Amino acid sequence: MQTVKFKIQIYLKTFILIACFATPSLKAQFSSSTELLYRLRMQNIDTLFSIYYNPAIKPYIEESTTTNKLKTEKVISVFNFYNSFIENELSKRNLPLSLQYLPLALTQMDIRYQGEYHRSGAWALSIFIAQKYGLNVTNEIDERFDFYKSTTAACNYLQELYQLYGNFWDVVIAYANGASGLETAKIRLQAKHTNIWDIYENSNLFNKNIIPLTFSFAYIANYYQEHELKLKEYQVINSETIYLKAAIYVTDLYTQLELSENDFYAVNPILLKCDCLKECNIHLPLKSYDLFATKEDTLYEMYKATQLYLDSIAKAEVELVKKESEIIYYTVKKGDNLGYIARRYHVTVSDLKKWNQLKNDNIYIGERLIIRKN
Protein backbone atom coordinates (compact mmCIF):
# COMPACT_ATOMS: atom_id res chain seq x y z
CA MET A 1 0.00 0.00 0.00
CA GLN A 2 2.84 2.40 0.89
CA THR A 3 4.58 1.60 -2.40
CA VAL A 4 1.44 2.44 -4.39
CA LYS A 5 1.01 5.74 -2.56
CA PHE A 6 4.69 6.58 -3.12
CA LYS A 7 4.33 5.95 -6.86
CA ILE A 8 1.23 8.10 -7.01
CA GLN A 9 3.09 10.95 -5.28
CA ILE A 10 5.94 10.66 -7.83
CA TYR A 11 3.44 10.65 -10.71
CA LEU A 12 1.66 13.65 -9.26
CA LYS A 13 4.85 15.69 -8.85
CA THR A 14 5.95 14.82 -12.38
CA PHE A 15 2.56 15.74 -13.79
CA ILE A 16 2.51 19.07 -11.93
CA LEU A 17 5.95 19.96 -13.33
CA ILE A 18 4.75 19.16 -16.84
CA ALA A 19 1.59 21.16 -16.27
CA CYS A 20 3.62 24.20 -15.25
CA PHE A 21 5.13 24.36 -18.74
CA ALA A 22 2.07 23.09 -20.58
CA THR A 23 -0.08 25.02 -22.97
CA PRO A 24 -2.64 27.48 -21.54
CA SER A 25 -5.52 25.21 -22.59
CA LEU A 26 -4.11 22.26 -20.63
CA LYS A 27 -3.50 24.44 -17.58
CA ALA A 28 -7.07 25.68 -17.84
CA GLN A 29 -8.40 22.12 -18.02
CA PHE A 30 -6.53 20.97 -14.92
CA SER A 31 -6.47 24.12 -12.83
CA SER A 32 -5.72 22.52 -9.48
CA SER A 33 -3.51 19.83 -7.99
CA THR A 34 -6.70 18.12 -6.76
CA GLU A 35 -7.90 17.58 -10.30
CA LEU A 36 -4.49 16.31 -11.32
CA LEU A 37 -4.67 13.83 -8.45
CA TYR A 38 -8.16 12.71 -9.49
CA ARG A 39 -6.99 12.14 -13.05
CA LEU A 40 -3.96 10.13 -11.94
CA ARG A 41 -6.12 7.98 -9.72
CA MET A 42 -8.57 7.46 -12.58
CA GLN A 43 -5.65 6.05 -14.58
CA ASN A 44 -5.26 3.32 -11.96
CA ILE A 45 -8.94 2.38 -12.31
CA ASP A 46 -9.26 2.37 -16.10
CA THR A 47 -7.48 4.26 -18.87
CA LEU A 48 -10.92 5.18 -20.25
CA PHE A 49 -11.57 7.21 -17.10
CA SER A 50 -8.19 8.91 -17.26
CA ILE A 51 -8.33 9.78 -20.97
CA TYR A 52 -11.80 11.28 -20.74
CA TYR A 53 -11.39 13.02 -17.38
CA ASN A 54 -13.09 16.41 -17.20
CA PRO A 55 -13.25 19.08 -14.44
CA ALA A 56 -17.05 18.64 -14.41
CA ILE A 57 -16.46 15.44 -12.39
CA LYS A 58 -14.87 17.18 -9.41
CA PRO A 59 -18.09 18.66 -7.89
CA TYR A 60 -19.76 15.22 -8.02
CA ILE A 61 -16.87 13.63 -6.13
CA GLU A 62 -16.74 16.39 -3.54
CA GLU A 63 -20.50 16.38 -2.92
CA SER A 64 -20.51 12.60 -2.43
CA THR A 65 -17.55 12.66 -0.05
CA THR A 66 -18.60 15.69 2.01
CA THR A 67 -22.26 16.78 1.93
CA ASN A 68 -23.59 13.26 1.26
CA LYS A 69 -20.83 11.43 3.09
CA LEU A 70 -23.06 9.23 5.29
CA LYS A 71 -25.24 8.18 2.37
CA THR A 72 -22.18 7.45 0.23
CA GLU A 73 -20.76 5.22 2.96
CA LYS A 74 -23.92 3.10 2.93
CA VAL A 75 -24.01 3.02 -0.87
CA ILE A 76 -20.40 1.81 -1.19
CA SER A 77 -21.02 -0.82 1.50
CA VAL A 78 -23.89 -2.28 -0.54
CA PHE A 79 -21.79 -2.10 -3.70
CA ASN A 80 -18.88 -3.95 -2.08
CA PHE A 81 -21.22 -6.70 -0.92
CA TYR A 82 -22.54 -7.42 -4.43
CA ASN A 83 -19.40 -6.47 -6.36
CA SER A 84 -17.96 -9.97 -6.84
CA PHE A 85 -21.24 -11.18 -8.35
CA ILE A 86 -21.37 -8.20 -10.74
CA GLU A 87 -17.78 -8.75 -11.86
CA ASN A 88 -18.44 -12.45 -12.41
CA GLU A 89 -21.48 -11.73 -14.62
CA LEU A 90 -19.51 -9.19 -16.66
CA SER A 91 -16.54 -11.54 -17.04
CA LYS A 92 -18.73 -14.38 -18.30
CA ARG A 93 -19.78 -12.12 -21.18
CA ASN A 94 -16.30 -10.65 -21.81
CA LEU A 95 -17.59 -7.20 -20.93
CA PRO A 96 -15.37 -4.42 -19.46
CA LEU A 97 -15.29 -4.70 -15.67
CA SER A 98 -15.69 -0.92 -15.41
CA LEU A 99 -19.36 -1.44 -16.23
CA GLN A 100 -19.67 -2.62 -12.63
CA TYR A 101 -20.06 1.02 -11.58
CA LEU A 102 -23.31 1.47 -13.54
CA PRO A 103 -25.74 0.58 -10.70
CA LEU A 104 -23.84 3.03 -8.50
CA ALA A 105 -24.22 5.79 -11.08
CA LEU A 106 -27.79 4.91 -12.04
CA THR A 107 -29.48 4.42 -8.66
CA GLN A 108 -26.76 4.50 -6.01
CA MET A 109 -27.37 0.78 -5.47
CA ASP A 110 -31.00 1.33 -4.45
CA ILE A 111 -32.41 -2.19 -4.90
CA ARG A 112 -36.02 -0.96 -4.69
CA TYR A 113 -35.44 2.07 -6.88
CA GLN A 114 -38.45 3.32 -8.85
CA GLY A 115 -37.68 6.13 -11.25
CA GLU A 116 -38.99 7.98 -14.25
CA TYR A 117 -39.97 6.25 -17.47
CA HIS A 118 -40.99 3.12 -15.50
CA ARG A 119 -37.38 2.19 -14.70
CA SER A 120 -36.89 0.14 -11.54
CA GLY A 121 -34.37 -1.83 -9.52
CA ALA A 122 -30.70 -1.12 -8.86
CA TRP A 123 -29.96 -1.37 -12.59
CA ALA A 124 -32.87 0.95 -13.52
CA LEU A 125 -34.25 -1.52 -16.05
CA SER A 126 -37.29 -0.58 -18.13
CA ILE A 127 -40.23 -3.00 -18.16
CA PHE A 128 -39.58 -3.83 -21.82
CA ILE A 129 -35.90 -4.71 -21.28
CA ALA A 130 -36.67 -6.63 -18.08
CA GLN A 131 -39.28 -8.81 -19.77
CA LYS A 132 -37.11 -9.24 -22.85
CA TYR A 133 -34.41 -10.81 -20.69
CA GLY A 134 -36.71 -13.07 -18.70
CA LEU A 135 -37.72 -11.04 -15.65
CA ASN A 136 -41.27 -11.36 -14.35
CA VAL A 137 -43.10 -8.04 -13.91
CA THR A 138 -46.78 -8.21 -12.89
CA ASN A 139 -49.21 -6.34 -10.64
CA GLU A 140 -48.01 -8.42 -7.68
CA ILE A 141 -44.27 -8.95 -8.20
CA ASP A 142 -41.37 -7.22 -9.93
CA GLU A 143 -38.17 -9.22 -10.36
CA ARG A 144 -36.26 -6.05 -11.18
CA PHE A 145 -36.03 -5.70 -7.38
CA ASP A 146 -34.16 -9.01 -7.16
CA PHE A 147 -30.56 -7.83 -7.43
CA TYR A 148 -29.16 -11.13 -8.68
CA LYS A 149 -31.79 -11.63 -11.39
CA SER A 150 -31.71 -7.99 -12.47
CA THR A 151 -27.89 -8.06 -12.68
CA THR A 152 -28.05 -11.05 -15.01
CA ALA A 153 -30.68 -9.33 -17.17
CA ALA A 154 -28.73 -6.04 -17.21
CA CYS A 155 -25.50 -7.77 -18.25
CA ASN A 156 -27.33 -9.55 -21.08
CA TYR A 157 -28.60 -6.18 -22.26
CA LEU A 158 -25.13 -4.64 -21.97
CA GLN A 159 -23.74 -7.49 -24.05
CA GLU A 160 -26.30 -6.72 -26.77
CA LEU A 161 -25.36 -3.03 -26.68
CA TYR A 162 -21.64 -3.88 -26.89
CA GLN A 163 -22.28 -5.99 -29.96
CA LEU A 164 -24.12 -3.02 -31.44
CA TYR A 165 -21.67 -0.21 -30.56
CA GLY A 166 -18.38 -1.76 -29.43
CA ASN A 167 -17.61 1.41 -27.48
CA PHE A 168 -17.67 1.72 -23.68
CA TRP A 169 -19.16 5.20 -23.42
CA ASP A 170 -21.69 4.66 -26.21
CA VAL A 171 -22.88 1.59 -24.31
CA VAL A 172 -23.14 3.50 -21.02
CA ILE A 173 -25.08 6.38 -22.60
CA ALA A 174 -27.35 4.04 -24.60
CA TYR A 175 -28.08 1.94 -21.51
CA ALA A 176 -29.04 4.96 -19.40
CA ASN A 177 -30.93 6.88 -22.09
CA GLY A 178 -32.03 4.21 -24.56
CA ALA A 179 -30.33 3.39 -27.84
CA SER A 180 -32.59 5.87 -29.63
CA GLY A 181 -31.50 8.59 -27.19
CA LEU A 182 -27.85 8.06 -28.06
CA GLU A 183 -28.54 8.09 -31.81
CA THR A 184 -30.64 11.25 -31.49
CA ALA A 185 -27.81 12.98 -29.58
CA LYS A 186 -25.30 12.06 -32.28
CA ILE A 187 -27.58 13.28 -35.05
CA ARG A 188 -28.17 16.52 -33.15
CA LEU A 189 -24.42 17.06 -32.84
CA GLN A 190 -23.85 15.88 -36.43
CA ALA A 191 -21.10 13.45 -35.50
CA LYS A 192 -20.86 9.67 -35.59
CA HIS A 193 -18.12 9.49 -32.96
CA THR A 194 -18.98 12.29 -30.58
CA ASN A 195 -16.90 13.11 -27.51
CA ILE A 196 -18.88 12.21 -24.39
CA TRP A 197 -18.49 15.70 -22.95
CA ASP A 198 -19.97 17.21 -26.12
CA ILE A 199 -22.99 14.99 -25.52
CA TYR A 200 -23.08 16.00 -21.85
CA GLU A 201 -22.95 19.73 -22.58
CA ASN A 202 -25.04 19.95 -25.76
CA SER A 203 -27.60 17.13 -25.81
CA ASN A 204 -31.14 16.88 -24.44
CA LEU A 205 -30.70 13.39 -23.00
CA PHE A 206 -32.89 12.89 -19.92
CA ASN A 207 -30.07 11.11 -18.05
CA LYS A 208 -26.90 12.74 -19.37
CA ASN A 209 -25.64 12.96 -15.78
CA ILE A 210 -24.78 9.29 -16.15
CA ILE A 211 -21.47 10.51 -17.60
CA PRO A 212 -20.04 12.43 -14.59
CA LEU A 213 -21.78 10.04 -12.17
CA THR A 214 -20.03 7.01 -13.68
CA PHE A 215 -16.66 8.76 -13.32
CA SER A 216 -17.31 9.95 -9.78
CA PHE A 217 -18.64 6.67 -8.38
CA ALA A 218 -15.87 4.67 -10.06
CA TYR A 219 -13.44 6.98 -8.29
CA ILE A 220 -15.20 6.84 -4.92
CA ALA A 221 -15.57 3.04 -5.01
CA ASN A 222 -11.78 2.76 -5.28
CA TYR A 223 -10.62 5.72 -3.19
CA TYR A 224 -13.22 6.09 -0.42
CA GLN A 225 -10.56 5.50 2.25
CA GLU A 226 -8.54 8.47 1.01
CA HIS A 227 -11.60 10.62 1.74
CA GLU A 228 -12.04 9.12 5.22
CA LEU A 229 -15.28 7.34 4.38
CA LYS A 230 -15.91 4.65 6.99
CA LEU A 231 -17.84 1.67 5.75
CA LYS A 232 -19.96 -0.65 7.85
CA GLU A 233 -20.34 -4.21 6.66
CA TYR A 234 -23.57 -4.58 4.74
CA GLN A 235 -25.81 -7.04 6.57
CA VAL A 236 -28.23 -9.24 4.66
CA ILE A 237 -31.20 -10.42 6.73
CA ASN A 238 -31.32 -14.21 6.87
CA SER A 239 -34.79 -15.49 6.10
CA GLU A 240 -36.98 -18.57 5.89
CA THR A 241 -39.68 -19.33 3.32
CA ILE A 242 -43.23 -19.89 4.56
CA TYR A 243 -46.47 -20.55 2.71
CA LEU A 244 -49.57 -18.49 3.49
CA LYS A 245 -52.57 -20.83 3.64
CA ALA A 246 -55.07 -17.97 3.47
CA ALA A 247 -55.20 -14.22 2.98
CA ILE A 248 -53.72 -11.83 5.55
CA TYR A 249 -53.34 -8.07 5.86
CA VAL A 250 -49.73 -6.90 5.59
CA THR A 251 -50.14 -4.33 8.37
CA ASP A 252 -51.42 -7.10 10.68
CA LEU A 253 -48.31 -9.09 9.81
CA TYR A 254 -46.04 -6.19 10.80
CA THR A 255 -47.91 -5.65 14.05
CA GLN A 256 -48.19 -9.25 15.17
CA LEU A 257 -44.60 -10.14 14.32
CA GLU A 258 -43.14 -6.85 15.59
CA LEU A 259 -41.58 -6.44 12.16
CA SER A 260 -40.72 -3.24 10.28
CA GLU A 261 -41.94 -2.68 6.75
CA ASN A 262 -38.36 -2.19 5.56
CA ASP A 263 -37.24 -5.53 7.00
CA PHE A 264 -40.18 -7.36 5.44
CA TYR A 265 -39.50 -6.00 1.95
CA ALA A 266 -35.75 -6.50 2.39
CA VAL A 267 -36.38 -10.26 2.51
CA ASN A 268 -39.19 -10.04 -0.07
CA PRO A 269 -37.64 -7.62 -2.60
CA ILE A 270 -39.76 -8.66 -5.59
CA LEU A 271 -43.10 -8.18 -3.81
CA LEU A 272 -44.86 -4.94 -4.68
CA LYS A 273 -46.30 -3.05 -1.74
CA CYS A 274 -49.95 -3.96 -1.16
CA ASP A 275 -52.67 -4.08 1.51
CA CYS A 276 -53.05 -7.85 1.68
CA LEU A 277 -51.34 -11.06 0.65
CA LYS A 278 -53.23 -14.13 -0.52
CA GLU A 279 -52.11 -17.76 -0.67
CA CYS A 280 -48.43 -17.57 -1.68
CA ASN A 281 -44.85 -18.12 -0.55
CA ILE A 282 -43.21 -15.29 1.36
CA HIS A 283 -39.95 -14.90 3.26
CA LEU A 284 -39.69 -13.94 6.91
CA PRO A 285 -36.60 -12.98 8.92
CA LEU A 286 -35.38 -15.91 10.99
CA LYS A 287 -36.14 -13.97 14.17
CA SER A 288 -39.83 -13.83 13.15
CA TYR A 289 -40.24 -17.42 11.96
CA ASP A 290 -41.20 -19.02 15.30
CA LEU A 291 -43.45 -16.11 16.23
CA PHE A 292 -45.33 -16.51 12.94
CA ALA A 293 -46.05 -20.15 13.81
CA THR A 294 -47.87 -19.02 16.96
CA LYS A 295 -49.63 -16.08 15.31
CA GLU A 296 -50.50 -17.66 11.94
CA ASP A 297 -54.12 -18.63 12.73
CA THR A 298 -54.68 -15.26 14.42
CA LEU A 299 -53.57 -13.45 11.25
CA TYR A 300 -56.03 -15.44 9.12
CA GLU A 301 -58.87 -14.75 11.59
CA MET A 302 -58.03 -11.03 11.72
CA TYR A 303 -58.35 -10.87 7.94
CA LYS A 304 -61.72 -12.67 8.02
CA ALA A 305 -63.02 -10.41 10.79
CA THR A 306 -61.97 -7.29 8.94
CA GLN A 307 -63.61 -8.57 5.77
CA LEU A 308 -66.87 -9.26 7.61
CA TYR A 309 -66.78 -5.75 9.05
CA LEU A 310 -66.11 -4.20 5.65
CA ASP A 311 -68.84 -6.33 4.08
CA SER A 312 -71.35 -5.16 6.72
CA ILE A 313 -70.45 -1.52 6.05
CA ALA A 314 -70.84 -2.06 2.31
CA LYS A 315 -74.20 -3.77 2.84
CA ALA A 316 -75.41 -0.94 5.08
CA GLU A 317 -74.39 1.60 2.44
CA VAL A 318 -76.30 -0.33 -0.22
CA GLU A 319 -79.39 -0.44 1.98
CA LEU A 320 -79.12 3.28 2.64
CA VAL A 321 -78.87 4.06 -1.06
CA LYS A 322 -81.80 1.74 -1.71
CA LYS A 323 -83.96 3.49 0.89
CA GLU A 324 -83.01 6.91 -0.39
CA SER A 325 -83.92 5.84 -3.92
CA GLU A 326 -87.43 4.90 -2.63
CA ILE A 327 -88.16 8.42 -1.38
CA ILE A 328 -89.73 11.18 -3.48
CA TYR A 329 -89.73 14.80 -2.39
CA TYR A 330 -92.82 16.66 -3.61
CA THR A 331 -93.17 20.43 -3.47
CA VAL A 332 -96.76 21.61 -2.90
CA LYS A 333 -98.17 23.77 -5.69
CA LYS A 334 -101.18 26.04 -5.92
CA GLY A 335 -104.41 23.98 -5.95
CA ASP A 336 -102.84 20.86 -4.37
CA ASN A 337 -104.42 18.98 -1.50
CA LEU A 338 -103.51 15.75 0.29
CA GLY A 339 -106.18 13.74 -1.51
CA TYR A 340 -104.95 14.79 -4.96
CA ILE A 341 -101.31 14.08 -4.07
CA ALA A 342 -102.21 10.68 -2.52
CA ARG A 343 -104.13 9.57 -5.64
CA ARG A 344 -101.32 10.77 -7.95
CA TYR A 345 -98.70 8.65 -6.18
CA HIS A 346 -100.97 5.73 -5.27
CA VAL A 347 -100.68 6.17 -1.51
CA THR A 348 -103.16 7.05 1.22
CA VAL A 349 -103.78 10.38 2.91
CA SER A 350 -103.00 8.82 6.28
CA ASP A 351 -99.59 7.67 4.95
CA LEU A 352 -98.82 11.19 3.75
CA LYS A 353 -99.74 12.60 7.15
CA LYS A 354 -97.65 9.95 8.96
CA TRP A 355 -94.57 10.37 6.76
CA ASN A 356 -94.69 14.15 7.11
CA GLN A 357 -95.89 14.30 10.73
CA LEU A 358 -98.97 16.34 9.73
CA LYS A 359 -101.57 16.85 12.47
CA ASN A 360 -104.33 17.81 10.00
CA ASP A 361 -105.01 17.99 6.25
CA ASN A 362 -103.66 21.51 5.85
CA ILE A 363 -100.69 21.93 3.48
CA TYR A 364 -99.08 25.10 2.09
CA ILE A 365 -97.66 26.19 -1.25
CA GLY A 366 -93.91 25.56 -1.32
CA GLU A 367 -94.05 22.97 1.45
CA ARG A 368 -91.89 19.88 0.79
CA LEU A 369 -93.57 16.52 1.37
CA ILE A 370 -91.96 13.10 1.69
CA ILE A 371 -93.55 10.31 -0.36
CA ARG A 372 -92.34 6.73 -0.05
CA LYS A 373 -92.74 4.64 -3.18
CA ASN A 374 -93.32 1.35 -1.38
Side-chain angles (χ1 to χ4, degrees):
M1 188 68 183
Q2 293 294 329
T3 304
V4 173
K5 287 187 175 180
F6 178 74
K7 286 183 178 179
I8 290 175
Q9 289 173 353
I10 295 296
Y11 291 150
L12 179 58
K13 289 177 181 178
T14 303
F15 206 90
I16 291 173
L17 285 171
I18 294 171
C20 290
F21 299 98
T23 61
S25 60
L26 181 61
K27 283 193 272 188
Q29 186 178 6
F30 303 106
S31 57
S32 71
S33 58
T34 301
E35 286 180 20
L36 289 172
L37 179 60
Y38 289 165
R39 189 173 188 274
L40 285 170
R41 286 175 173 174
M42 290 288 185
Q43 174 70 31
N44 293 331
I45 302 169
D46 191 319
T47 54
L48 285 170
F49 293 133
S50 177
I51 292 170
Y52 289 98
Y53 181 84
N54 186 288
I57 301 164
K58 183 183 175 184
Y60 286 86
I61 294 174
E62 292 182 343
E63 183 178 9
S64 295
T65 55
T66 54
T67 308
N68 296 329
K69 183 177 180 179
L70 292 177
K71 181 179 179 180
T72 304
E73 289 174 342
K74 293 178 182 178
V75 166
I76 300 301
S77 294
V78 178
F79 173 75
N80 286 346
F81 179 84
Y82 290 109
N83 182 238
S84 60
F85 178 75
I86 301 172
E87 286 188 344
N88 184 55
E89 290 297 302
L90 292 170
S91 296
K92 285 194 301 186
R93 296 164 179 79
N94 295 316
L95 292 169
L97 292 182
S98 290
L99 289 171
Q100 67 187 289
Y101 306 114
L102 263 183
L104 275 169
L106 288 163
T107 68
Q108 296 185 37
M109 293 298 294
D110 183 355
I111 292 172
R112 289 192 67 87
Y113 171 81
Q114 290 179 291
E116 295 180 319
Y117 307 101
H118 306 290
R119 291 171 174 255
S120 294
W123 287 89
L125 288 167
S126 68
I127 293 176
F128 171 75
I129 295 298
Q131 292 178 332
K132 179 180 178 180
Y133 291 104
L135 299 187
N136 197 3
V137 181
T138 69
N139 291 330
E140 290 80 32
I141 65 170
D142 190 336
E143 290 187 333
R144 290 177 294 176
F145 297 139
D146 182 316
F147 187 82
Y148 296 104
K149 289 183 178 181
S150 65
T151 298
T152 300
C155 288
N156 286 335
Y157 181 40
L158 287 167
Q159 185 177 35
E160 179 186 321
L161 290 175
Y162 237 95
Q163 291 170 352
L164 183 62
Y165 296 107
N167 176 280
F168 178 86
W169 287 110
D170 279 359
V171 168
V172 169
I173 295 168
Y175 183 98
N177 296 274
S180 60
L182 173 63
E183 296 302 328
T184 301
K186 287 186 174 183
I187 292 170
R188 178 184 176 87
L189 298 173
Q190 298 181 339
K192 184 177 180 181
H193 301 291
T194 308
N195 184 285
I196 57 171
W197 295 107
D198 290 336
I199 291 177
Y200 176 71
E201 293 172 2
N202 302 304
S203 74
N204 293 324
L205 292 175
F206 70 88
N207 192 11
K208 63 183 182 180
N209 281 345
I210 190 65
I211 297 169
L213 284 170
T214 301
F215 277 98
S216 62
F217 275 109
Y219 172 87
I220 294 166
N222 288 275
Y223 291 99
Y224 61 87
Q225 291 178 322
E226 281 71 9
H227 291 268
E228 298 183 354
L229 269 64
K230 296 177 174 58
L231 307 189
K232 293 182 180 179
E233 185 179 354
Y234 179 65
Q235 298 290 334
V236 175
I237 301 173
N238 293 321
S239 64
E240 191 75 39
T241 303
I242 59 111
Y243 179 74
L244 295 178
K245 301 171 188 174
I248 62 171
Y249 279 108
V250 179
T251 50
D252 290 341
L253 183 69
Y254 300 155
T255 305
Q256 292 297 311
L257 301 188
E258 300 174 2
L259 189 64
S260 73
E261 182 182 32
N262 287 339
D263 283 352
F264 176 74
Y265 284 106
V267 295
N268 294 278
I270 69 171
L271 281 180
L272 297 179
K273 293 186 178 181
C274 59
D275 292 329
C276 66
L277 294 167
K278 297 183 179 179
E279 296 90 336
C280 65
N281 284 321
I282 64 169
H283 300 280
L284 288 178
L286 289 180
K287 65 178 183 179
S288 304
Y289 183 75
D290 291 337
L291 186 56
F292 175 81
T294 63
K295 299 281 189 177
E296 182 176 7
D297 292 337
T298 300
L299 288 167
Y300 299 146
E301 291 302 320
M302 290 174 72
Y303 178 84
K304 290 178 182 177
T306 303
Q307 286 300 306
L308 286 173
Y309 172 70
L310 294 175
D311 288 345
S312 67
I313 291 177
K315 186 176 180 180
E317 289 177 347
V318 169
E319 290 297 323
L320 180 61
V321 170
K322 184 178 178 182
K323 286 181 180 179
E324 288 180 348
S325 67
E326 294 173 349
I327 296 174
I328 294 174
Y329 295 96
Y330 180 81
T331 302
V332 177
K333 301 179 183 61
K334 185 177 180 180
D336 283 343
N337 57 61
L338 288 181
Y340 167 75
I341 296 171
R343 288 192 300 274
R344 179 176 176 180
Y345 290 97
H346 307 288
V347 295
T348 65
V349 171
S350 61
D351 283 337
L352 284 176
K353 293 171 71 174
K354 180 177 68 175
W355 294 335
N356 294 279
Q357 299 179 349
L358 298 176
K359 295 180 180 179
N360 51 51
D361 293 345
N362 296 331
I363 54 176
Y364 306 94
I365 296 173
E367 186 177 358
R368 202 178 186 205
L369 301 178
I370 294 174
I371 303 170
R372 300 188 182 277
K373 289 182 181 180
N374 300 320

